[in-house]
Amino acid sequence: MAEQTEKATPEPTEAQLDAARGFVERHGKPARGVVEYIGRVGARVVLVGADGALGDVIVPDVATGEALVAAVPDLEPAEWDAETVNSTAIGPEHRRRMAGSPLHR
């Protein structure tokens, strides 16, 4: 019988780790990391700071996102539960960017 090799989980890059660490430093401890699958692009790690700020890091897949969250001190794994959602502080400028440009005025 042929040996089966397990696919190794890609490790987060130094740039991804630096981005997440920097976010935690700027926005307080503990921060939360929500890993979301975004299709062929990979996964998005949504960062929620202790001050409610949002950020993100794009990684190749969900496993790498989970590894990123585990590797950064004071970054806790989270889901979009009521506690995480209520801890965000989304201001008017962020809401405008999320909404995009209006088609008609």
Side-chain angles (χ1 to χ4, degrees):
M1 194 162 20
E3 272 187 52
Q4 291 183 347
T5 58
E6 289 187 34
K7 185 178 177 182
T9 301
E11 293 294 319
T13 66
E14 275 305 311
Q16 293 162 341
L17 289 165
D18 288 345
R21 288 180 191 128
F23 180 89
V24 173
E25 287 175 17
R26 288 187 306 278
H27 297 288
K29 303 171 187 176
R32 300 167 191 243
V34 180
V35 181
E36 303 174 325
Y37 175 71
I38 56 174
R40 284 190 248 185
V41 173
R44 174 181 185 217
V45 181
V46 181
L47 305 169
V48 181
D51 64 357
L54 292 171
D56 63 1
V57 178
I58 304 298
V59 294
D61 54 41
V62 170
T64 304
E66 292 167 347
L68 173 69
V69 172
V72 176
D74 298 309
L75 183 58
E76 300 174 350
E79 300 207 9
W80 286 120
D81 55 16
E83 186 177 342
T84 301
V85 171
N86 291 333
S87 71
T88 63
I90 301 173
E93 180 59 30
H94 190 82
R95 290 181 193 279
R96 279 191 292 276
R97 284 189 312 190
M98 288 172 40
S101 302
L103 296 175
H104 305 285
R105 289 203 180 221

Coordinates of all heavy atoms in Angstrom, one line a residue:
M1 N 0.8 -1.2 0.0 CA 0.0 0.0 0.0 C 0.9 1.2 0.0 O 1.9 1.3 0.7 CB -0.9 0.0 1.2 CG -2.0 1.0 1.0 SD -3.5 1.0 1.9 CE -3.6 0.2 3.4
A2 N 0.5 2.2 -0.8 CA 1.3 3.5 -0.9 C 1.1 4.3 0.4 O 0.1 4.3 1.0 CB 0.9 4.2 -2.1
E3 N 2.2 5.0 0.7 CA 2.2 5.9 1.9 C 1.4 7.1 1.6 O 1.5 7.6 0.5 CB 3.6 6.3 2.3 CG 4.3 5.3 3.2 CD 5.6 5.9 3.7 OE1 5.6 7.1 4.2 OE2 6.6 5.2 3.6
Q4 N 0.6 7.6 2.5 CA -0.1 8.8 2.3 C 0.6 9.9 3.0 O 1.0 9.7 4.2 CB -1.5 8.7 2.8 CG -2.4 7.8 2.0 CD -3.8 7.8 2.6 OE1 -4.1 8.3 3.6 NE2 -4.7 7.2 1.8
T5 N 0.9 11.0 2.3 CA 1.5 12.1 3.0 C 0.5 13.1 3.4 O -0.5 13.4 2.6 CB 2.6 12.8 2.1 OG1 1.9 13.2 0.9 CG2 3.7 11.8 1.7
E6 N 0.6 13.7 4.6 CA -0.3 14.7 5.0 C 0.1 16.0 4.5 O 1.3 16.3 4.4 CB -0.3 14.7 6.6 CG -1.0 13.5 7.2 CD -1.1 13.7 8.7 OE1 -1.3 14.8 9.1 OE2 -1.0 12.6 9.4
K7 N -0.8 16.8 4.1 CA -0.6 18.1 3.6 C -0.2 19.0 4.8 O -0.9 19.1 5.7 CB -1.8 18.7 2.9 CG -1.6 20.0 2.2 CD -2.8 20.4 1.5 CE -2.6 21.8 0.9 NZ -3.8 22.3 0.2
A8 N 1.0 19.6 4.7 CA 1.4 20.5 5.8 C 0.7 21.8 5.7 O 0.4 22.4 4.7 CB 2.9 20.8 5.6
T9 N 0.3 22.3 6.9 CA -0.3 23.6 7.0 C 0.7 24.7 6.8 O 1.7 24.8 7.4 CB -0.9 23.8 8.4 OG1 -1.9 22.7 8.7 CG2 -1.6 25.1 8.5
P10 N 0.4 25.6 5.8 CA 1.3 26.7 5.6 C 1.4 27.6 6.8 O 0.4 27.8 7.5 CB 0.7 27.5 4.4 CG -0.3 26.6 3.8 CD -0.7 25.6 4.9
E11 N 2.6 28.0 7.2 CA 2.8 28.9 8.3 C 2.5 30.3 7.8 O 2.8 30.7 6.7 CB 4.2 28.7 8.8 CG 4.5 27.4 9.4 CD 3.8 27.1 10.7 OE1 3.6 28.0 11.5 OE2 3.3 26.0 10.8
P12 N 2.0 31.1 8.7 CA 1.9 32.6 8.4 C 3.2 33.2 8.1 O 4.2 32.8 8.7 CB 1.3 33.2 9.6 CG 1.0 32.1 10.6 CD 1.6 30.8 10.1
T13 N 3.3 34.1 7.2 CA 4.5 34.8 6.8 C 4.9 35.8 7.9 O 4.0 36.2 8.7 CB 4.4 35.5 5.5 OG1 3.4 36.6 5.6 CG2 4.0 34.6 4.3
E14 N 6.1 36.2 7.9 CA 6.5 37.3 8.8 C 5.7 38.5 8.7 O 5.3 39.2 9.6 CB 8.0 37.6 8.7 CG 8.9 36.6 9.5 CD 8.5 36.5 11.0 OE1 8.4 37.5 11.7 OE2 8.4 35.4 11.5
A15 N 5.4 38.9 7.4 CA 4.6 40.1 7.2 C 3.2 39.9 7.8 O 2.7 40.9 8.4 CB 4.5 40.3 5.7
Q16 N 2.6 38.8 7.6 CA 1.3 38.5 8.2 C 1.3 38.6 9.8 O 0.5 39.2 10.4 CB 0.7 37.2 7.8 CG 0.4 37.2 6.3 CD 0.2 35.8 5.7 OE1 0.7 34.8 6.3 NE2 -0.4 35.7 4.5
L17 N 2.4 38.0 10.3 CA 2.5 38.0 11.8 C 2.8 39.4 12.3 O 2.2 39.9 13.3 CB 3.7 37.1 12.2 CG 3.4 35.6 12.1 CD1 4.7 34.8 12.1 CD2 2.4 35.1 13.1
D18 N 3.6 40.2 11.6 CA 3.9 41.6 11.9 C 2.7 42.4 11.9 O 2.4 43.3 12.8 CB 5.0 42.2 11.0 CG 6.4 41.6 11.3 OD1 6.6 41.0 12.4 OD2 7.3 41.8 10.4
A19 N 1.8 42.2 10.8 CA 0.6 43.0 10.7 C -0.3 42.7 11.9 O -0.9 43.7 12.5 CB -0.1 42.7 9.4
A20 N -0.5 41.5 12.3 CA -1.4 41.1 13.4 C -0.8 41.6 14.7 O -1.5 42.1 15.6 CB -1.6 39.6 13.4
R21 N 0.5 41.4 14.9 CA 1.1 41.9 16.2 C 1.0 43.4 16.3 O 0.7 43.9 17.4 CB 2.6 41.5 16.2 CG 2.9 40.0 16.4 CD 4.4 39.8 16.4 NE 4.6 38.3 16.3 CZ 5.4 37.8 15.5 NH1 6.1 38.5 14.6 NH2 5.6 36.5 15.5
G22 N 1.3 44.1 15.2 CA 1.2 45.6 15.2 C -0.3 46.0 15.5 O -0.5 47.0 16.3
F23 N -1.2 45.3 15.0 CA -2.6 45.7 15.3 C -2.9 45.5 16.7 O -3.5 46.4 17.4 CB -3.6 44.8 14.4 CG -5.0 45.1 14.7 CD1 -5.7 46.0 14.0 CD2 -5.7 44.4 15.7 CE1 -7.0 46.4 14.2 CE2 -7.0 44.7 16.0 CZ -7.7 45.7 15.2
V24 N -2.5 44.4 17.3 CA -2.7 44.2 18.8 C -2.0 45.3 19.6 O -2.6 45.8 20.5 CB -2.2 42.8 19.2 CG1 -2.3 42.6 20.7 CG2 -3.1 41.7 18.5
E25 N -0.8 45.7 19.2 CA -0.1 46.7 19.9 C -0.8 48.1 19.9 O -0.9 48.8 20.8 CB 1.3 46.9 19.4 CG 2.3 45.7 19.8 CD 3.6 45.9 19.1 OE1 4.0 47.0 18.6 OE2 4.3 44.8 19.1
R26 N -1.3 48.4 18.7 CA -2.0 49.7 18.5 C -3.4 49.7 19.1 O -3.9 50.8 19.5 CB -2.1 50.0 17.0 CG -0.8 50.4 16.3 CD -0.9 50.9 14.9 NE -1.7 49.9 14.1 CZ -1.1 48.9 13.5 NH1 0.2 48.6 13.6 NH2 -1.9 48.1 12.7
H27 N -4.1 48.6 19.1 CA -5.5 48.6 19.5 C -5.9 47.9 20.7 O -7.0 47.7 21.0 CB -6.4 48.1 18.3 CG -6.2 49.0 17.1 ND1 -6.8 50.3 17.0 CD2 -5.5 48.8 16.0 CE1 -6.5 50.8 15.9 NE2 -5.7 50.0 15.2
G28 N -4.9 47.5 21.5 CA -5.1 47.0 22.8 C -5.3 45.5 22.9 O -5.5 44.8 22.0
K29 N -5.1 45.0 24.2 CA -5.1 43.6 24.5 C -6.2 43.3 25.5 O -6.5 44.2 26.3 CB -3.8 43.2 25.2 CG -2.6 43.5 24.4 CD -1.3 43.3 25.2 CE -0.1 43.8 24.4 NZ 1.1 43.7 25.2
P30 N -6.9 42.2 25.4 CA -6.7 41.2 24.3 C -7.5 41.7 23.0 O -8.5 42.4 23.1 CB -7.4 40.0 24.9 CG -8.4 40.5 25.8 CD -7.9 41.8 26.4
A31 N -7.0 41.2 21.9 CA -7.7 41.4 20.6 C -8.3 40.1 20.2 O -8.0 39.0 20.8 CB -6.7 41.9 19.6
R32 N -9.2 40.1 19.3 CA -9.9 38.9 18.8 C -9.5 38.7 17.3 O -9.4 39.7 16.6 CB -11.4 39.0 18.9 CG -11.8 39.2 20.4 CD -13.3 39.6 20.4 NE -13.7 40.1 21.7 CZ -14.6 39.5 22.4 NH1 -15.2 38.4 22.0 NH2 -14.9 39.9 23.6
G33 N -9.5 37.4 16.9 CA -9.2 37.1 15.5 C -10.3 36.1 15.0 O -10.5 35.1 15.6
V34 N -11.1 36.6 14.0 CA -12.2 35.8 13.5 C -11.7 35.3 12.1 O -11.4 36.2 11.2 CB -13.5 36.6 13.3 CG1 -14.6 35.7 12.7 CG2 -13.9 37.1 14.7
V35 N -11.5 34.0 11.9 CA -11.0 33.5 10.6 C -12.2 33.2 9.7 O -13.1 32.4 10.1 CB -10.2 32.2 10.8 CG1 -9.7 31.7 9.5 CG2 -9.0 32.5 11.8
E36 N -12.2 33.8 8.5 CA -13.4 33.6 7.6 C -12.8 33.1 6.2 O -11.9 33.6 5.7 CB -14.1 34.9 7.3 CG -14.6 35.6 8.5 CD -15.1 37.0 8.2 OE1 -14.6 37.7 7.3 OE2 -16.1 37.4 8.8
Y37 N -13.4 32.0 5.7 CA -13.1 31.5 4.4 C -13.6 32.5 3.3 O -14.8 32.9 3.4 CB -13.7 30.1 4.2 CG -13.6 29.5 2.8 CD1 -12.3 29.1 2.4 CD2 -14.7 29.4 2.0 CE1 -12.2 28.6 1.1 CE2 -14.5 28.9 0.7 CZ -13.3 28.5 0.3 OH -13.1 27.9 -1.0
I38 N -12.8 32.9 2.4 CA -13.3 33.8 1.3 C -13.1 33.3 -0.1 O -12.9 34.0 -1.0 CB -12.6 35.2 1.5 CG1 -11.1 35.1 1.5 CG2 -13.1 35.9 2.7 CD1 -10.4 36.5 1.5
G39 N -13.1 32.0 -0.2 CA -13.1 31.4 -1.5 C -11.7 31.1 -2.0 O -10.8 30.9 -1.2
R40 N -11.5 31.1 -3.3 CA -10.2 30.8 -3.9 C -9.0 31.6 -3.4 O -7.9 31.2 -3.3 CB -10.2 30.8 -5.4 CG -10.9 29.7 -6.0 CD -10.7 29.7 -7.5 NE -12.0 30.0 -8.1 CZ -12.2 30.0 -9.4 NH1 -11.2 29.7 -10.2 NH2 -13.4 30.2 -9.9
V41 N -9.4 32.9 -3.0 CA -8.4 33.8 -2.5 C -7.7 33.2 -1.2 O -6.6 33.4 -0.9 CB -9.0 35.2 -2.2 CG1 -8.0 36.1 -1.5 CG2 -9.5 35.8 -3.5
G42 N -8.5 32.5 -0.4 CA -8.0 32.0 0.9 C -8.9 32.3 2.0 O -10.1 31.9 2.0
A43 N -8.4 33.0 3.0 CA -9.1 33.3 4.2 C -8.8 34.7 4.7 O -7.7 35.2 4.4 CB -8.9 32.3 5.3
R44 N -9.7 35.3 5.4 CA -9.5 36.6 6.0 C -9.5 36.4 7.5 O -10.4 35.8 8.0 CB -10.6 37.5 5.5 CG -10.6 38.9 6.1 CD -11.8 39.6 5.6 NE -11.8 41.0 6.0 CZ -12.9 41.6 6.4 NH1 -14.1 41.1 6.2 NH2 -12.8 42.9 6.8
V45 N -8.5 37.0 8.2 CA -8.5 37.0 9.6 C -8.9 38.4 10.0 O -8.2 39.4 9.8 CB -7.1 36.7 10.2 CG1 -7.2 36.7 11.7 CG2 -6.6 35.4 9.7
V46 N -10.2 38.6 10.5 CA -10.7 39.9 10.9 C -10.2 40.1 12.3 O -10.4 39.2 13.2 CB -12.2 39.9 10.8 CG1 -12.7 41.3 11.3 CG2 -12.7 39.6 9.4
L47 N -9.5 41.2 12.5 CA -9.0 41.5 13.8 C -9.9 42.6 14.5 O -10.3 43.5 13.9 CB -7.6 42.1 13.7 CG -6.6 41.2 12.9 CD1 -5.3 42.0 12.6 CD2 -6.3 40.0 13.7
V48 N -10.2 42.3 15.8 CA -11.0 43.2 16.5 C -10.2 43.6 17.8 O -9.9 42.8 18.6 CB -12.4 42.6 17.0 CG1 -13.2 43.6 17.8 CG2 -13.1 42.1 15.8
G49 N -9.8 44.9 17.8 CA -9.0 45.3 19.0 C -9.8 45.6 20.2 O -11.0 45.7 20.2
A50 N -9.1 45.7 21.3 CA -9.8 45.9 22.6 C -10.5 47.3 22.6 O -11.5 47.4 23.3 CB -8.7 45.9 23.7
D51 N -10.0 48.2 21.7 CA -10.7 49.5 21.6 C -11.8 49.5 20.6 O -12.5 50.5 20.3 CB -9.7 50.5 21.2 CG -9.0 50.3 19.8 OD1 -9.3 49.3 19.2 OD2 -8.2 51.2 19.4
G52 N -12.1 48.3 20.0 CA -13.2 48.1 19.0 C -12.8 48.3 17.6 O -13.6 48.2 16.7
A53 N -11.6 48.7 17.3 CA -11.1 48.9 15.9 C -11.1 47.6 15.2 O -10.9 46.5 15.8 CB -9.7 49.5 15.9
L54 N -11.3 47.7 13.9 CA -11.3 46.5 13.0 C -10.1 46.6 12.1 O -9.6 47.6 11.6 CB -12.5 46.5 12.1 CG -13.8 46.2 12.8 CD1 -15.0 46.4 11.9 CD2 -13.9 44.8 13.4
G55 N -9.5 45.4 11.8 CA -8.5 45.3 10.8 C -8.6 43.9 10.2 O -9.4 43.1 10.6
D56 N -7.7 43.6 9.2 CA -7.7 42.2 8.7 C -6.4 41.9 8.1 O -5.6 42.7 7.8 CB -8.8 42.0 7.7 CG -8.7 42.9 6.4 OD1 -7.8 43.6 6.3 OD2 -9.6 42.8 5.6
V57 N -6.2 40.6 7.9 CA -5.0 40.0 7.3 C -5.5 38.9 6.4 O -6.3 38.0 6.8 CB -4.0 39.4 8.3 CG1 -2.8 38.8 7.7 CG2 -3.5 40.5 9.3
I58 N -5.1 38.9 5.1 CA -5.5 37.8 4.2 C -4.4 36.8 4.2 O -3.2 37.1 4.1 CB -5.6 38.4 2.8 CG1 -6.6 39.5 2.7 CG2 -6.0 37.3 1.8 CD1 -8.0 39.1 3.2
V59 N -4.8 35.5 4.3 CA -3.9 34.3 4.3 C -4.4 33.3 3.3 O -5.5 33.4 2.8 CB -3.8 33.7 5.8 CG1 -3.2 34.7 6.8 CG2 -5.2 33.3 6.2
P60 N -3.5 32.3 3.0 CA -3.9 31.4 1.9 C -5.1 30.5 2.2 O -5.7 30.0 1.3 CB -2.6 30.6 1.7 CG -1.5 31.2 2.5 CD -2.2 32.2 3.4
D61 N -5.3 30.2 3.5 CA -6.4 29.2 3.8 C -6.8 29.4 5.3 O -6.1 30.1 6.0 CB -6.0 27.8 3.5 CG -4.7 27.4 4.1 OD1 -4.5 27.7 5.3 OD2 -3.9 26.7 3.5
V62 N -7.9 28.7 5.7 CA -8.4 28.8 7.0 C -7.3 28.3 8.0 O -7.1 28.9 9.1 CB -9.7 28.1 7.1 CG1 -10.1 27.9 8.6 CG2 -10.8 28.8 6.3
A63 N -6.7 27.2 7.7 CA -5.7 26.6 8.7 C -4.6 27.6 8.9 O -4.1 27.7 10.1 CB -5.1 25.3 8.1
T64 N -4.1 28.3 7.9 CA -3.1 29.3 8.1 C -3.6 30.5 9.0 O -2.9 31.0 9.9 CB -2.6 29.9 6.8 OG1 -2.1 28.8 6.0 CG2 -1.4 30.9 7.0
G65 N -4.9 30.8 8.8 CA -5.5 31.9 9.6 C -5.5 31.5 11.1 O -5.2 32.3 12.0
E66 N -5.9 30.2 11.3 CA -6.0 29.7 12.7 C -4.6 29.7 13.3 O -4.4 30.0 14.5 CB -6.6 28.4 12.7 CG -8.1 28.4 12.4 CD -8.8 27.1 12.1 OE1 -8.0 26.1 11.9 OE2 -10.0 27.0 12.0
A67 N -3.6 29.3 12.5 CA -2.2 29.3 13.0 C -1.7 30.7 13.3 O -1.0 30.9 14.3 CB -1.3 28.7 11.9
L68 N -2.1 31.7 12.5 CA -1.8 33.1 12.7 C -2.3 33.6 14.1 O -1.6 34.1 14.9 CB -2.3 34.0 11.6 CG -2.1 35.5 11.8 CD1 -0.7 35.9 11.7 CD2 -2.9 36.3 10.8
V69 N -3.6 33.3 14.3 CA -4.2 33.7 15.6 C -3.5 33.0 16.8 O -3.2 33.7 17.8 CB -5.7 33.3 15.6 CG1 -6.4 33.6 17.0 CG2 -6.5 34.2 14.5
A70 N -3.2 31.8 16.6 CA -2.5 31.0 17.7 C -1.1 31.5 17.9 O -0.6 31.5 19.1 CB -2.5 29.5 17.4
A71 N -0.4 32.1 16.9 CA 1.0 32.5 17.0 C 1.1 33.9 17.6 O 2.2 34.3 18.0 CB 1.6 32.4 15.6
V72 N 0.1 34.7 17.6 CA 0.2 36.1 18.1 C -0.3 36.2 19.5 O -1.4 35.9 19.8 CB -0.6 37.0 17.2 CG1 -0.6 38.5 17.7 CG2 -0.1 37.0 15.8
P73 N 0.7 36.6 20.4 CA 0.3 36.8 21.8 C -0.9 37.8 22.0 O -0.9 38.8 21.2 CB 1.5 37.3 22.5 CG 2.6 36.9 21.6 CD 2.1 36.9 20.2
D74 N -1.8 37.5 22.9 CA -2.9 38.4 23.1 C -3.9 38.6 22.0 O -4.7 39.5 22.0 CB -2.4 39.8 23.6 CG -1.6 39.7 24.9 OD1 -2.1 39.1 25.8 OD2 -0.5 40.3 24.9
L75 N -3.9 37.6 21.1 CA -4.9 37.6 20.0 C -5.7 36.3 20.2 O -5.1 35.2 20.1 CB -4.2 37.6 18.6 CG -5.2 37.5 17.4 CD1 -6.1 38.7 17.5 CD2 -4.4 37.6 16.1
E76 N -6.9 36.4 20.6 CA -7.7 35.3 21.0 C -8.6 34.9 19.8 O -9.2 35.7 19.1 CB -8.7 35.7 22.1 CG -7.9 36.1 23.4 CD -8.8 36.6 24.5 OE1 -10.0 36.9 24.2 OE2 -8.3 36.8 25.6
P77 N -8.8 33.5 19.6 CA -9.7 33.1 18.5 C -11.1 33.5 18.9 O -11.5 33.4 20.1 CB -9.5 31.6 18.5 CG -8.7 31.2 19.7 CD -8.1 32.5 20.3
A78 N -11.9 33.9 17.9 CA -13.2 34.3 18.1 C -14.1 34.0 17.0 O -13.6 33.6 15.9 CB -13.3 35.8 18.4
E79 N -15.4 34.1 17.2 CA -16.4 33.9 16.1 C -17.3 35.2 16.2 O -17.2 36.0 17.1 CB -17.2 32.7 16.4 CG -16.3 31.4 16.4 CD -17.1 30.2 16.0 OE1 -18.2 30.3 15.6 OE2 -16.5 29.1 16.1
W80 N -18.2 35.3 15.2 CA -19.0 36.5 15.1 C -20.3 36.2 16.0 O -21.4 36.2 15.6 CB -19.5 36.8 13.7 CG -18.4 37.4 12.9 CD1 -17.8 37.0 11.8 CD2 -17.7 38.6 13.2 NE1 -16.8 37.8 11.4 CE2 -16.7 38.9 12.2 CE3 -17.8 39.6 14.3 CZ2 -15.9 40.0 12.2 CZ3 -17.0 40.7 14.3 CH2 -16.0 40.9 13.2
D81 N -20.0 36.1 17.3 CA -21.1 35.9 18.3 C -21.4 37.3 18.8 O -20.8 38.3 18.4 CB -20.6 35.0 19.4 CG -19.3 35.4 20.1 OD1 -18.9 36.6 19.9 OD2 -18.7 34.6 20.8
A82 N -22.4 37.4 19.6 CA -22.9 38.7 20.1 C -21.8 39.5 20.8 O -21.6 40.7 20.7 CB -24.1 38.5 21.0
E83 N -21.0 38.8 21.6 CA -19.9 39.4 22.4 C -18.9 40.1 21.4 O -18.5 41.2 21.7 CB -19.2 38.4 23.3 CG -18.2 39.1 24.2 CD -17.6 38.0 25.2 OE1 -18.1 36.9 25.4 OE2 -16.5 38.4 25.7
T84 N -18.5 39.4 20.4 CA -17.5 39.9 19.4 C -18.1 41.1 18.7 O -17.5 42.2 18.5 CB -17.0 38.8 18.5 OG1 -16.4 37.8 19.3 CG2 -16.0 39.4 17.5
V85 N -19.3 40.9 18.2 CA -20.0 42.0 17.4 C -20.1 43.2 18.2 O -19.9 44.3 17.8 CB -21.3 41.5 16.8 CG1 -22.1 42.6 16.2 CG2 -21.1 40.4 15.8
N86 N -20.6 43.0 19.5 CA -20.8 44.2 20.3 C -19.5 44.9 20.8 O -19.6 46.0 21.2 CB -21.6 43.8 21.6 CG -23.1 43.4 21.2 OD1 -23.6 43.9 20.2 ND2 -23.7 42.6 22.0
S87 N -18.4 44.2 20.6 CA -17.1 44.8 21.0 C -16.5 45.7 19.9 O -15.6 46.4 20.1 CB -16.1 43.8 21.4 OG -15.7 43.0 20.3
T88 N -17.1 45.7 18.7 CA -16.6 46.5 17.6 C -17.1 47.9 17.7 O -18.2 48.2 18.2 CB -17.0 46.0 16.2 OG1 -18.4 46.0 16.1 CG2 -16.5 44.6 16.0
A89 N -16.3 48.9 17.3 CA -16.7 50.3 17.2 C -16.5 50.7 15.8 O -15.4 51.1 15.4 CB -15.7 51.1 18.2
I90 N -17.6 50.6 15.0 CA -17.6 51.0 13.6 C -18.0 52.4 13.5 O -19.2 52.7 13.8 CB -18.4 50.0 12.8 CG1 -17.9 48.6 13.0 CG2 -18.4 50.4 11.3 CD1 -18.8 47.6 12.3
G91 N -17.1 53.3 13.0 CA -17.5 54.7 12.9 C -18.1 55.0 11.5 O -18.1 54.1 10.6
P92 N -18.5 56.2 11.3 CA -19.2 56.6 10.0 C -18.3 56.4 8.8 O -18.7 56.0 7.8 CB -19.5 58.1 10.2 CG -19.3 58.4 11.7 CD -18.5 57.3 12.3
E93 N -17.0 56.8 8.9 CA -16.1 56.6 7.8 C -15.9 55.2 7.4 O -16.0 54.8 6.2 CB -14.7 57.2 8.1 CG -13.7 57.1 7.0 CD -14.2 57.8 5.7 OE1 -14.9 58.8 5.8 OE2 -13.8 57.3 4.6
H94 N -15.8 54.3 8.3 CA -15.7 52.8 8.0 C -17.0 52.3 7.4 O -17.0 51.6 6.4 CB -15.4 52.0 9.3 CG -15.1 50.6 9.0 ND1 -13.8 50.2 8.7 CD2 -15.8 49.5 9.1 CE1 -13.8 48.9 8.5 NE2 -15.0 48.5 8.7
R95 N -18.1 52.8 7.9 CA -19.4 52.4 7.3 C -19.5 52.9 5.8 O -20.0 52.1 5.0 CB -20.6 53.0 8.1 CG -20.7 52.3 9.4 CD -21.9 52.9 10.2 NE -21.9 52.5 11.6 CZ -22.3 51.3 12.0 NH1 -22.8 50.4 11.2 NH2 -22.3 51.0 13.3
R96 N -19.1 54.1 5.5 CA -19.1 54.6 4.1 C -18.2 53.7 3.2 O -18.6 53.4 2.1 CB -18.6 56.1 4.1 CG -19.7 57.0 4.5 CD -19.3 58.5 4.1 NE -18.3 59.0 5.0 CZ -18.4 59.5 6.2 NH1 -19.7 59.6 6.7 NH2 -17.4 59.9 6.9
R97 N -17.0 53.4 3.7 CA -16.1 52.6 2.9 C -16.7 51.2 2.7 O -16.6 50.6 1.6 CB -14.7 52.4 3.6 CG -13.9 53.6 3.5 CD -12.5 53.3 4.0 NE -12.6 52.7 5.3 CZ -11.7 52.4 6.1 NH1 -10.4 52.8 5.8 NH2 -11.9 51.8 7.3
M98 N -17.3 50.6 3.7 CA -18.0 49.3 3.5 C -19.1 49.3 2.5 O -19.4 48.4 1.8 CB -18.5 48.8 4.9 CG -17.3 48.4 5.8 SD -17.8 47.9 7.5 CE -19.3 47.0 7.3
A99 N -19.8 50.5 2.5 CA -21.0 50.6 1.6 C -20.6 50.8 0.2 O -21.4 50.5 -0.7 CB -21.9 51.7 2.1
G100 N -19.4 51.4 -0.1 CA -19.0 51.6 -1.4 C -19.6 52.9 -1.9 O -20.3 53.6 -1.3
S101 N -19.3 53.2 -3.2 CA -19.9 54.4 -3.8 C -21.3 54.2 -4.2 O -21.7 53.2 -4.8 CB -19.1 54.8 -5.1 OG -17.7 54.9 -4.7
P102 N -22.2 55.2 -4.0 CA -23.5 55.0 -4.5 C -23.5 55.1 -6.1 O -22.8 55.8 -6.7 CB -24.3 56.3 -3.9 CG -23.2 57.2 -3.6 CD -21.9 56.4 -3.3
L103 N -24.4 54.3 -6.6 CA -24.5 54.3 -8.1 C -25.2 55.5 -8.6 O -24.9 56.0 -9.7 CB -25.3 53.0 -8.5 CG -24.6 51.7 -8.2 CD1 -25.5 50.5 -8.6 CD2 -23.3 51.6 -9.0
H104 N -26.2 56.0 -7.9 CA -27.0 57.1 -8.4 C -27.1 58.1 -7.2 O -27.4 57.7 -6.1 CB -28.3 56.7 -8.9 CG -28.3 55.7 -10.0 ND1 -27.9 56.0 -11.3 CD2 -28.5 54.4 -10.0 CE1 -27.9 54.9 -12.0 NE2 -28.3 53.9 -11.2
R105 N -27.0 59.3 -7.5 CA -27.3 60.3 -6.5 C -28.5 61.2 -6.9 O -28.8 61.4 -8.0 CB -26.1 61.2 -6.3 CG -25.0 60.4 -5.6 CD -24.0 61.3 -4.9 NE -23.1 60.4 -4.3 CZ -22.6 60.6 -3.2 NH1 -22.9 61.6 -2.5 NH2 -21.7 59.8 -2.7

